[in-house]
Amino acid sequence: MSEHAASHGTEAEHGHEEGHAHHGPKDYIRIWLVLVVLLAVSVAGPFLEIKVITLLTAFGIAVVKAFLVCKHFMHLDVQPKYVLYFLGTALAFMLLFFFGVAPDVMNHEGQNWTNMAAQEEIERALIAQGHGPALEPGAFDAATTFANTCGPCHGTGGAGDGPAAAALEPHPANFTDPAFWADPTRDHEHIVATITNGGASVGRSALMAAFGGQFDAEQIEALAAHVESLNPNHE
Amino acid sequence: MKPVATTRTAAGIQTGRLAVWWLLASEIVIFGGLLVSYIMHRLAHPEWADYASHTNTWIGTVNTLVLLSSSLSAVLAHHAAEQGDGKKAAKLLLATIGGAVAFLVIKSFEWTHEIHEGFTITANGFWAFYYVAAGIHASHVIVGAILMGWVAWQANQNRELQRVELVGIYWHFVDVVWIFLFPLLYIAK
């Protein structure tokens, strides 16, 4: 290529110009359109609620978008090769940094140490978010779980007066009202079925969600017993 | 045109453009280090999933669209400059600056709302990364807008047209960083 260099000013300039031969405003707009479509796909991905697809549409597409911008907008492909090499070296250092420390940063237990602060913080935060030990068998406490999970609607005491209660139609059941329990169809089986499969499954409102996915049979049994214990006439 | 920036070619490339690439190599290490640190903590802390769920995907999406579009006008400005049309290049750079300003305005509304919700930089590790990563990125947007204003002013007088490409390369890089920040902070929840 260097024989052209003299007449074209510089060698690099020449290579650069060549790269542009097939790039006009129309090509740039086309590439922009592709980028916008890719953006739409990456936003749509999570709606399928499949983790692998979300990760693919999020990060796979990010890599493709970055590649398109680098190649077509930054014209990285027509720079002298060594530009790619030093940019690649910077990237390689980033990966070295990641893989060098990630094994110890990402585990809270190394071969010779334990990061107790991190472990405690994770436990504390998960409990605060409502999915802590509630999910650990054995550590299940029906009253606490009821207050956390059912409380927003039914009220922490089960009186049907949770913060969301007023907005719900029908109102969430008040378990402390003897009239509620006066209905003979509300036996233990019915309560268990309501909690497991939701209100709709027993001919009630679907606003009462199904919790069969969140709690196992034993835990639901405990929740039902707790609900029944709120009956003032409970013997 | 400046002799050193445009004519010295011992390296096989205009000195000015080589300088921009070197700058970006250092930026890769800055942003790369920050992002991989974030990824490590995000993966190691199951409780961060809940924190991350509070970021607003739609605002992030609109801002991504804004930046992608501003990259388009930046590369069109480069094309105009190559054709020797400084006035057109200046106009297209102004459009790119418009994108930068729109991005920053949207971001300030987003942050104001989040801070009011209690998601401050000290709320927890997730929000610390959120504000630092997006903040360093936003500072690049501000610097880019100022540089483009200066280059557009010169291009409008048909001076230093090679700088249109140089500032464009920098701008596309800022776009690429956001392309990775977007899924990390807004999509993977």
Side-chain angles (χ1 to χ4, degrees):
Chain A
M1 226 163 51
S2 50
E3 63 269 25
H4 301 281
S7 55
H8 280 266
T10 76
E11 189 180 334
E13 219 37 35
H14 181 69
H16 197 58
E17 235 76 84
E18 244 174 17
H20 281 258
H22 42 263
H23 273 333
K26 278 211 184 98
D27 302 295
Y28 292 132
I29 292 172
R30 207 169 300 140
I31 288 152
W32 174 79
L33 275 174
V34 173
L35 289 167
V36 172
V37 170
L38 287 174
L39 169 63
V41 174
S42 63
V43 175
F47 285 97
L48 294 175
E49 297 193 352
I50 303 170
K51 204 169 177 185
V52 185
I53 297 199
T54 299
L55 291 177
L56 271 181
T57 54
F59 298 105
I61 285 186
V63 171
V64 176
K65 282 202 297 199
F67 174 80
L68 289 176
V69 171
C70 289
K71 179 166 157 59
H72 296 288
F73 286 179
M74 297 168 95
H75 305 294
L76 192 50
D77 56 337
V78 295
Q79 309 299 319
K81 274 276 170 298
Y82 70 88
V83 171
L84 270 178
Y85 295 154
F86 68 64
L87 291 175
T89 307
L91 263 176
F93 270 105
M94 177 188 114
L95 293 178
L96 182 69
F97 167 57
F98 178 83
F99 288 107
V101 299
D104 275 344
V105 173
M106 289 176 50
N107 290 330
H108 299 306
E109 229 163 31
Q111 285 165 348
N112 302 306
W113 52 270
T114 306
N115 185 345
M116 280 144 78
Q119 287 178 341
E120 274 166 27
E121 166 58 10
I122 291 172
E123 204 179 314
R124 182 206 63 80
L126 287 178
I127 292 172
Q129 289 164 11
H131 28 231
L135 292 178
E136 282 166 29
F140 184 81
D141 175 45
T144 313
T145 305
F146 183 88
N148 288 337
T149 310
C150 323
C153 299
H154 288 284
T156 48
D161 56 359
L168 297 173
E169 202 51 58
H171 293 317
N174 174 359
F175 305 125
T176 61
D177 179 0
F180 174 83
W181 298 104
D183 183 338
T185 65
R186 288 187 167 120
D187 55 12
H188 182 70
E189 248 170 76
H190 168 92
I191 302 294
V192 170
T194 309
I195 303 173
T196 312
N197 301 315
S201 76
V202 293
R204 306 262 164 197
S205 166
L207 284 176
M208 170 57 206
F211 291 91
Q214 193 171 337
F215 303 114
D216 62 29
E218 206 179 314
Q219 294 167 336
I220 287 179
E221 196 61 39
L223 279 170
H226 175 75
V227 168
E228 283 155 3
S229 73
L230 300 171
N231 178 0
N233 299 329
H234 185 69
E235 60 279 8
Chain B
M1 295 201 181
K2 286 272 189 319
V4 171
T6 54
T7 60
R8 193 157 78 183
T9 58
I13 183 174
Q14 288 177 17
T15 313
R17 181 143 35 92
L18 179 58
V20 174
W21 287 119
W22 270 117
L23 172 79
L24 296 194
S26 74
E27 297 269 23
I28 288 177
V29 182
I30 295 172
F31 281 107
L34 190 61
L35 293 193
V36 295
S37 304
Y38 168 74
I39 292 170
M40 280 183 235
H41 285 86
R42 178 75 173 75
L43 292 176
H45 285 268
E47 80 276 21
W48 281 28
D50 186 79
Y51 304 148
S53 71
H54 294 287
T55 60
N56 189 321
T57 310
W58 298 113
I59 294 187
T61 306
V62 170
N63 257 346
T64 310
L65 185 64
V66 167
L67 276 195
L68 287 176
S69 307
S70 72
S71 256
L72 174 65
S73 53
V75 77
L76 290 175
H78 169 201
H79 185 76
E82 263 183 348
Q83 314 271 310
D85 191 344
K87 292 240 181 293
K88 188 169 175 196
K91 280 204 193 88
L92 285 160
L93 276 184
L94 279 184
T96 310
I97 296 171
V101 171
F103 179 90
L104 292 169
V105 168
I106 293 171
K107 192 134 266 310
S108 58
F109 276 111
E110 181 188 24
W111 282 19
T112 308
H113 177 74
E114 278 157 357
I115 290 168
H116 274 290
E117 299 268 293
F119 303 126
T120 58
I121 193 168
T122 55
N124 53 53
F126 171 80
W127 290 102
F129 270 109
Y130 174 86
Y131 286 109
V132 171
I136 293 182
H137 177 265
S139 68
H140 279 74
V141 172
I142 295 171
V143 168
I146 294 169
L147 288 176
M148 285 188 293
W150 175 49
V151 172
W153 182 68
Q154 291 177 322
N156 195 42
Q157 305 160 338
N158 268 317
R159 280 165 48 214
E160 309 282 8
L161 286 186
Q162 82 283 355
R163 288 185 180 159
V164 177
E165 172 182 17
L166 304 188
V167 80
I169 293 176
Y170 167 85
W171 190 253
H172 300 310
F173 176 80
V174 174
D175 190 10
V176 168
V177 170
W178 183 261
I179 284 174
F180 287 105
L181 279 179
F182 174 62
L184 283 172
L185 299 178
Y186 296 89
I187 297 286
K189 293 187 167 172

